[in-house]
Amino acid sequence: MDKKYTIKDIAKLAGVSKGTVDRVLHGRGRVSEKANEKIKAVLKEIDYRPNPIARSLKNSKVYKIFVLLPDPKEDPYWIPAHEGIKDAIKEFSPFGVVVKKFFYHPKDRASFIEKSHEAIQSSPDVLLMAPVFHKESLEVFENCQKRNVLVALFNNYIDVLNNKNFIGQDLHKSGRVAASLMDKMQRQKQTIAILHINEEAHMRQKENGFKEYFEDKKGISHSIITYSLNEDKSEQIDFKLDIFDFFKKNPKISAVFVTNSKAYLLVEALKNLDRDISIVGYDLLRENINHLESGKIDFLIHQKPKRQAYLGVVNLAEHFLFGKQLPLQNLLPIDIITAENVMYYRD
């Protein structure tokens, strides 16, 4: 059996005191360069691996991970993310990790700012946020820097913060995947619409990837139209009429790429349109799944919001407790969901 080395063993092999070894292992206090090199050489030779559980239990510090995300009551897309955070809380709360959620309205910038201030003023060790609002998210990042609060992102990526921890999908690449699916359905030259419902910055990254795919592809050149509109629960009739009128004015549209989880709204708005429309959208909302199974939606791209939020908290907790390095980017696979395989993705 492999020998279990103690601090005393390491100190004897390196020819230093136990206190010096302890300072090197736990990264505290000053150690001479010579002693540090001796100890690290011994650690490498014996393949020393500290017991992270024992170390975390010995450490009495409470780590605060605050999560800033849209209210799942206002947008069902965020319900799985909320569940993922709850799972992470169960896993790490015994180790002195406090996770607190701050919900903001996904359509209200003032709500985002208010909740971000509330979170930052409570002095967390890190703020994990889903940055729906681009400009305001940069302001939050600046506020965190001033208060020495670590920032991590999930779901939406902000290019100018490319040195920050991010968990999610390659949004540009997911747009290319959507274009590839559309290309296989539209063999002849067709008119394809890119539909942004409640437009956010991340949708443009998907649009750029979608267009790039066809720009790179030789041969058939589809005509692509981009259209943006807002969905307001208090004005559902106007919203559906807006979509219906857009398709009436563009009779050649035969396919639509919906850049967020709202593909079901398109299906409902076009139910009286006497035309077959191919649809590629995102996310496993119940309404989307129903339309996928009925054949009204052809493909859904699964963004794994539950996994994103769960890993966001887990990576940070393990960083604080066990000293694990935070990955700059943790990009999740881009899963293509059809009516035939959707049953395997239901929670």
Side-chain angles (χ1 to χ4, degrees), residues 157 162 164-168 170 326-331:
Y157 184 64
N162 57 8
K164 295 293 107 182
N165 170 252
F166 169 72
I167 295 178
D170 184 329
L326 287 174
L328 289 182
Q329 285 194 359
N330 189 347
L331 298 178

Side-chain angles (χ1 to χ4, degrees), residues 198-214:
N198 304 332
E199 185 177 340
E200 300 167 5
H202 71 88
M203 299 181 192
R204 289 294 176 179
Q205 296 181 53
K206 297 172 182 175
E207 175 187 344
N208 292 339
F210 189 90
K211 290 180 175 178
E212 182 187 78
Y213 172 89
F214 288 111

Side-chain angles (χ1 to χ4, degrees), residues 65 67 69-70 72 76-93 97 99-101 103 128 154 167 304-315 317 332 347:
I65 300 174
V67 187
L69 75 161
Y77 167 78
W78 297 99
I79 294 176
H82 175 58
E83 294 299 319
I85 294 169
K86 286 169 62 177
D87 288 347
I89 291 173
K90 291 178 183 177
E91 191 170 334
F92 286 95
S93 58
V97 176
V99 181
K100 186 175 180 180
K101 299 180 290 292
F103 294 132
L128 173 64
F154 76 100
I167 295 178
K304 303 180 179 67
K306 182 175 182 177
R307 185 69 176 167
Q308 289 182 22
Y310 170 79
L311 287 178
V313 175
V314 168
N315 285 354
L332 303 182
D347 288 335

Side-chain angles (χ1 to χ4, degrees), residues 236-292:
Q236 285 291 302
I237 296 177
D238 291 341
F239 172 78
K240 292 180 179 180
L241 286 175
D242 193 353
I243 291 182
F244 192 81
D245 287 344
F246 171 70
F247 280 84
K248 278 291 188 181
K249 292 176 182 177
N250 296 277
K252 293 184 178 180
I253 293 176
S254 61
V256 184
F257 171 41
V258 183
T259 55
N260 65 355
S261 62
K262 307 293 184 182
Y264 68 93
L265 292 175
L266 173 65
V267 175
E268 293 168 2
L270 297 181
K271 63 182 179 181
N272 294 323
L273 187 70
D274 187 21
R275 195 194 317 169
D276 289 331
I277 302 290
S278 299
I279 298 175
V280 175
Y282 285 87
D283 306 316
L284 303 185
L285 273 65
R286 176 177 52 80
E287 296 89 346
N288 282 342
I289 292 175
N290 290 341
H291 291 309
L292 181 73

Side-chain angles (χ1 to χ4, degrees), residues 94-114:
F95 298 101
V97 176
V98 174
V99 181
K100 186 175 180 180
K101 299 180 290 292
F102 293 80
F103 294 132
Y104 63 87
H105 197 291
K107 296 182 185 177
D108 189 347
R109 296 175 186 271
S111 171
F112 176 79
I113 294 172
E114 177 188 350

